[in-house]
């Protein structure tokens, strides 16, 4: 991000903080927070059991289930479904970004349409396609810059006016969607006992994607909880922390393909919604991750508070996994080198993110732990190597 | 009492250790320092050099055991209090200068008039505040000797100065950028002094302040439009609590008896 983008991002974060203040201090929210903390901790502790249960229940509900151990396997599963398509569509999803689906499909000459407005803007930005915030990907771009991006990419000169931009992108996305038969989304929470996928959105785009012939849901196994009630608690808290509102415009709960039995009680799939629903449960390092790293509900509060993120933006993070917790996660998704490159040593260990986190993720402790192995694998800043040597020989970090 | 100065106060921000020692002499506290004092191990712990940190702790432990250890640095404080206990299983009797100063004032061992007209703000070091929950001792000292105005983000919500966790050495520019953001918080209080109780915070905040001023001067000289990142609406001085306290004692007593 350049200095202008960073400044825009900081102003957006400040507005977000002001908007969230009231709801975060509401005793109801605090109660919900305590409940969700426990749900997340218990769920991560029981991940294997929940995974078995989810697989069974999805199958019973008529949803196709795959377990993908890594990104390559997930990509292959998706490719087998979409290979005959020219265009497929998707909603905002960190998990989909994690496996680099956009690049993979481009290489296979399949066009991927982003339906979330912020994502679509970031996707059309020719210089930097990384998001600034998990819920507000384009928070770092001001309206003038966005108008420039849209004018250039859609070949139509437009005014820097939010509504005009929205209408134009909407028309463009709807036109693209008319060519699509397959929608790809993530899920914010997965209820194992019910075999249900819970998705949150404000724009209504996910609803459109669930009405495609085939709906593919890619979701990390860390998103598992027991019941729909638990899922709703998680996403209510996420919404409060991410946007400052009590409830999102839409909560979609998908538990089976669209079906009807209105003619002689004969079951038919694919009435208005998806004829086929496919769930891909993604491991990709999550089973080996430190448990605290998986508590995250994806609200982005940590980066709004983070002094380093406010100073450097998404340089401190890995793909959509932003800030210290994202960097820690990248070690498990990829490896030591990736977390080093994503900013493992940029964290000042100040601990403010833990205070701001609805589930109290102890990021500074995670980072400190991960540095031990990173250092042993040879990934540490040169300056730290010099200081280590200095201390060994002179007792002082400043003298050799 | 052993006064463990810590690397930054011993070698970079030496006025902090000098001020602390002067205050100790002033109140007649019997203390010693270690002439060949070495790093407590904090910087090694925070940057992933666990084995090396353990070695460093082993080298230190005999000098520290069985006596009260006074520290200036928030990093030394956390390391002695938590890491020595966790890693070596030794519970040290450690006290931070801000806690000692508060005790001395409460016990009437430092007698000093409050300077209402001096408006100060306080920056919580992460390792002393959020990590070790010491928010009030430094504030009590400041309220006793001056007028304390809080920044918007204070105590557990305090924003980091940017130098911790090895960031200052590995990414010096990021450390300065973060400190400049923190100085903006201080600016808003209209205080003339920003006081902290960690030599590392003082070093970084002060360097950021100097960088701001240099940049402003350059901008003015070149008649450039002022860069939004830099600011200077009034003079702000960055001091450690020990430096400020000594200044106040000295200004009222007209010099120290043991100097």
């Amino acid at each position: 991000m350049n200095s202008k983008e960073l400044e825009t991002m900081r102003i957006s974060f400040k507005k977000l903080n002001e908007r969230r203040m009231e709801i975060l201090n509401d005793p109801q929210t605090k109660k919900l927070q305590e409940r969700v903390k426990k749900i997340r901790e218990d769920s991560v502790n029981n991940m294997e059991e929940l995974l078995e249960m989810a697989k069974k229940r999805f199958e019973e509900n008529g949803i196709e289930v795959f377990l993908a151990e890594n990104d390559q396997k997930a990509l292959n599963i998706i490719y087998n479904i979409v290979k005959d398509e020219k265009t497929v569509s998707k909603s905002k999803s960190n998990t989909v970004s994690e496996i680099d689906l956009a690049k993979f499909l481009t290489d296979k000459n399949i066009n991927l349409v982003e339906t979330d407005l912020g994502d679509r803007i970031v996707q059309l930005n020719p210089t930097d396609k990384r998001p600034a915030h998990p819920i507000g990907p384009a928070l770092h771009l001001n309206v003038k810059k966005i108008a420039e991006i849209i004018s250039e990419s859609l070949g139509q000169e437009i005014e820097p006016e939010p509504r005009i931009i929205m209408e134009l992108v909407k028309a463009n996305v709807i036109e693209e969607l008319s060519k699509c038969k397959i929608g790809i989304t993530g899920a914010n929470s997965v209820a194992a006992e019910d075999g249900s996928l819970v998705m949150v959105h404000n724009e209504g785009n996910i609803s459109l994607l669930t009405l495609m012939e085939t709906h593919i849901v890619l979701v990390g196994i860390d998103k598992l909880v027991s019941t729909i009630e638990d899922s709703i608690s998680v996403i209510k808290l996420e919404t409060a922390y991410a946007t400052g509102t009590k409830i999102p415009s839409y909560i979609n709960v998908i538990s089976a393909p669209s079906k009807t039995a209105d003619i002689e009680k004969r079951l038919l799939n694919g009435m208005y919604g998806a004829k086929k629903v496919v769930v891909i449960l993604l491991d990709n390092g999550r089973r080996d991750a430190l448990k605290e790293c998986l508590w995250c509900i994806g609200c982005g509060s940590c980066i709004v508070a983070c002094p380093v993120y406010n100073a450097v933006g998404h340089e401190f993070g890995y793909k959509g996994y932003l800030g210290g917790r994202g960097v820690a996660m990248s070690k498990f998704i990829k490896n030591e080198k990736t977390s080093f490159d994503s900013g493992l040593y940029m964290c000042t260990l100040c601990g403010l993110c833990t205070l701001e986190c609805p589930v109290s993720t102890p990021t500074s402790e995670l980072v400190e732990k991960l540095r031990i192995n990173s250092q042993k694998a040879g990934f540490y800043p040169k300056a730290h190597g010099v200081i280590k040597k200095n201390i060994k020989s002179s007792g002082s970090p400043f003298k050799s | 009492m052993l006064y463990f100065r810590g690397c930054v106060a011993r070698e970079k921000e030496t006025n902090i250790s000098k001020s602390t020692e002067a205050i100790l002499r002033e109140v007649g506290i019997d203390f010693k320092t270690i002439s060949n004092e070495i790093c407590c191990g904090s910087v090694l712990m925070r940057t992933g050099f666990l084995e090396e940190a353990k070695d460093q702790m082993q080298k230190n432990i005999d000098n520290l055991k069985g006596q009260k250890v006074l520290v200036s640095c928030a990093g030394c404080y956390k390391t002695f209090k938590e890491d020595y206990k966790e890693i070596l299983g030794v519970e040290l009797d450690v006290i931070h200068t801000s806690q000692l100063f508060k005790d001395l004032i409460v016990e009437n061992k430092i007698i000093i008039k409050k300077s209402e007209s001096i408006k100060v703000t306080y920056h919580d070091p992460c390792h002393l505040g959020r990590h070790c929950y010491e928010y009030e001792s430094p504030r009590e000292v400041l309220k006793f000797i001056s007028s304390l105005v809080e920044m918007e983000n204070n105590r557990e919500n305090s924003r980091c100065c940017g130098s911790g966790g090895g960031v200052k050495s590995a990414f010096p520019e990021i450390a300065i950028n973060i400190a400049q953001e923190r100085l903006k918080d201080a600016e808003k209080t209209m205080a003339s002094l920003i006081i902290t109780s960690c030599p590392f915070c003082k070093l970084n905040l002060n360097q950021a302040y100097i960088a701001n001023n240099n940049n402003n001067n350059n901008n003015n000289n070149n008649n450039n439009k002022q860069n939004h990142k830099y600011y200077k609406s009034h003079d702000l001085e960055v001091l450690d609590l020990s430096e400020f306290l000594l200044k106040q004692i000295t200004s009222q007593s007209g010099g120290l008896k043991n100097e």
Side-chain angles (χ1 to χ4, degrees), chain A residues 59-303:
Chain A
E59 275 164 12
E60 287 170 8
N61 294 355
I63 292 177
E64 269 184 57
V65 197
F66 294 91
L67 175 67
E69 285 104 53
N70 56 41
D71 49 354
Q72 271 314 309
K73 290 199 173 153
L75 288 170
N76 290 337
I77 294 164
I78 294 174
Y79 184 62
N80 275 329
I81 305 169
V82 305
K83 60 183 177 223
D84 297 327
E85 305 300 316
K86 281 203 182 85
T87 302
V88 296
S89 50
K90 74 172 272 282
S91 66
K92 187 163 57 201
S93 159
N94 266 344
T95 321
V96 175
S97 314
E98 172 186 332
I99 65 167
D100 266 334
L101 182 68
K103 188 180 176 299
F104 176 85
L105 292 180
T106 309
D107 292 348
K108 305 272 185 196
N109 284 319
I110 299 171
N111 178 27
L112 181 69
V113 187
E114 296 286 357
T115 55
D116 177 271
L117 177 57
D119 266 352
R120 186 71 174 152
I121 292 165
V122 172
Q123 184 189 31
L124 296 175
N125 186 1
T127 50
D128 186 353
K129 299 192 185 305
R130 294 186 62 190
H133 181 275
I135 315 295
L139 280 185
H140 60 306
L141 303 171
N142 62 28
V143 64
K144 211 172 139 231
K145 174 75 187 167
I146 292 172
E148 266 170 40
I149 292 169
I150 300 298
S151 299
E152 210 163 290
S153 56
L154 301 184
Q156 187 179 336
E157 208 50 50
I158 56 161
E159 283 172 57
E161 167 59 40
R163 177 155 292 278
I164 295 173
I165 295 170
M166 183 189 89
E167 293 295 348
L168 188 67
V169 174
K170 182 166 93 182
N172 165 263
V173 168
I174 285 177
E175 194 196 325
E176 292 287 321
L177 286 185
S178 68
K179 303 172 200 160
C180 286
K181 283 190 282 190
I182 299 176
I184 303 167
T185 72
N188 299 78
S189 184
V190 182
E193 281 178 28
D194 298 299
S196 299
L197 299 148
V198 182
M199 290 151 215
V200 174
H201 52 122
N202 286 316
E203 295 181 0
N205 58 327
I206 291 183
S207 301
L208 294 175
L209 301 185
T210 65
L211 301 178
M212 302 259 156
E213 250 178 64
T214 301
H215 178 198
I216 302 172
V217 184
L218 177 74
V219 62
I221 54 173
D222 54 313
K223 290 282 192 287
L224 287 159
V225 298
S226 294
T227 61
I228 292 186
E229 289 84 342
D230 286 351
S231 285
I232 298 297
S233 295
V234 169
I235 60 101
K236 272 182 86 174
L237 191 68
E238 178 187 353
T239 304
Y241 271 80
T243 64
T245 47
K246 259 192 142 73
I247 196 94
S249 300
Y250 301 93
I251 302 171
N252 284 44
V253 182
I254 312 290
S255 311
S258 151
K259 60 195 169 194
T260 176
D262 281 354
I263 304 169
E264 288 186 351
K265 273 291 162 207
R266 283 195 246 178
L267 193 64
L268 296 168
N269 268 7
M271 182 61 201
Y272 296 108
K275 205 179 195 172
K276 188 159 106 169
V277 179
V278 182
V279 178
I280 303 162
L281 296 159
L282 181 68
D283 174 359
N284 210 25
R286 286 168 175 79
R287 277 175 160 151
D288 300 323
L290 290 167
K291 284 186 171 160
E292 297 87 338
C293 220
L294 302 180
W295 294 347
C296 176
I297 60 170
C299 70
S301 289
C302 49
I303 57 164

Side-chain angles (χ1 to χ4, degrees), chain B residues 4 18 78 163 199 251:
Chain B
F4 189 94
K18 278 181 201 152
K78 177 184 156 103
S163 64
S251 71

Side-chain angles (χ1 to χ4, degrees), chain B residues 4 11 79 81 113:
Chain B
F4 189 94
E11 292 176 38
T79 305
K81 231 180 151 58
K113 269 193 301 204

Side-chain angles (χ1 to χ4, degrees), chain A residues 10-23:
Chain A
R10 284 193 287 262
I11 293 167
S12 301
F13 281 179
K14 204 165 173 270
K15 280 187 204 153
L16 177 59
N17 260 337
E18 284 160 10
R19 205 170 291 167
R20 298 190 311 168
M21 192 107 78
E22 197 182 330
I23 192 165

Side-chain angles (χ1 to χ4, degrees), chain B:
Chain B
M1 181 184 282
L2 173 72
Y3 173 42
F4 189 94
R5 293 160 289 172
C7 300
V8 180
R10 190 182 66 235
E11 292 176 38
K12 298 234 165 184
E13 291 288 333
T14 51
N15 195 43
I16 296 175
S17 54
K18 278 181 201 152
S19 301
T20 303
E21 290 181 34
I23 294 168
L24 293 176
R25 279 194 299 271
E26 167 75 10
V27 280
I29 289 180
D30 189 23
F31 74 98
K32 54 180 190 205
T33 56
I34 305 167
S35 59
N36 52 351
E37 185 188 288
I38 55 170
C39 168
C40 70
S42 170
V43 294
L44 297 166
M45 278 299 292
R46 310 295 157 235
T47 54
F49 295 105
L50 181 63
E51 292 307 315
E52 291 82 353
K54 270 187 208 168
D55 289 347
Q56 198 63 20
M57 291 178 190
Q58 291 290 2
K59 286 183 197 164
N60 267 311
I61 192 68
D62 288 338
N63 275 328
L64 306 169
K65 261 197 296 197
Q67 58 188 321
K68 199 174 242 343
V69 183
L70 174 70
V71 292
S72 289
C73 177
C76 298
Y77 185 73
K78 177 184 156 103
T79 305
F80 284 154
K81 231 180 151 58
E82 291 183 357
D83 297 309
Y84 275 59
K85 192 164 138 193
E86 197 174 307
I87 289 171
L88 300 185
V90 183
E91 218 160 308
L92 291 172
D93 183 10
V94 51
I95 181 171
H96 187 262
T97 46
S98 63
Q99 298 166 329
L100 178 73
F101 297 154
K102 186 212 68 182
D103 290 346
L104 291 173
I105 288 174
V106 169
E107 291 161 14
N108 279 325
K109 287 182 183 152
I110 295 177
I111 298 171
I112 186 168
K113 269 193 301 204
K114 180 170 174 148
S115 303
E116 290 276 2
S117 61
I118 303 179
K119 213 164 145 186
V120 306
T121 191
Y122 177 68
H123 167 77
D124 289 274
C126 302
H127 282 114
L128 190 64
R130 253 190 312 273
H131 292 234
C132 292
Y133 313 107
E134 179 55 87
Y135 301 110
E136 298 311 322
S137 290
R139 285 184 168 78
E140 282 182 43
V141 174
L142 289 173
K143 279 186 217 161
F144 196 86
I145 60 179
S146 59
S147 296
L148 174 66
V149 243
E150 292 289 355
M151 286 183 263
E152 193 184 325
N153 299 290
N154 61 68
R155 296 186 172 83
E156 63 174 3
N157 293 308
S158 176
R159 299 210 280 183
C160 176
C161 79
S163 64
V167 172
K168 180 83 182 152
S169 56
F171 303 99
E173 276 178 31
I174 297 178
I176 292 291
N177 283 342
I178 297 173
Q180 282 167 339
E181 287 301 310
R182 187 57 175 158
L183 288 175
K184 283 184 198 167
D185 292 344
E187 276 273 302
K188 285 183 202 147
T189 66
M190 297 306 286
S192 56
L193 287 162
I194 173 169
I195 308 293
T196 184
S197 41
C198 174
F200 215 28
C201 294
K202 190 222 158 175
L203 176 75
N204 196 43
L205 289 168
N206 203 30
Q207 285 180 353
Y209 181 70
I210 291 165
N212 270 341
N213 284 355
N214 287 345
N215 205 282
N216 275 313
N217 291 339
N218 289 342
N219 281 343
N220 293 339
N221 291 343
N222 300 333
N223 289 326
N224 281 343
K225 253 170 79 183
Q226 192 163 316
N227 188 327
H228 69 275
K229 225 166 103 183
Y230 301 99
Y231 62 90
K232 191 179 180 240
S233 63
H234 71 282
D235 285 319
L236 190 68
E237 197 179 355
V238 188
L239 288 179
D240 182 78
L241 184 65
S242 59
E243 296 172 299
F244 180 49
L245 179 62
L246 181 68
K247 244 184 165 181
Q248 291 311 99
I249 296 173
T250 314
S251 71
Q252 290 183 16
S253 66
L256 286 179
K257 56 188 174 199
N258 292 324
E259 254 184 359

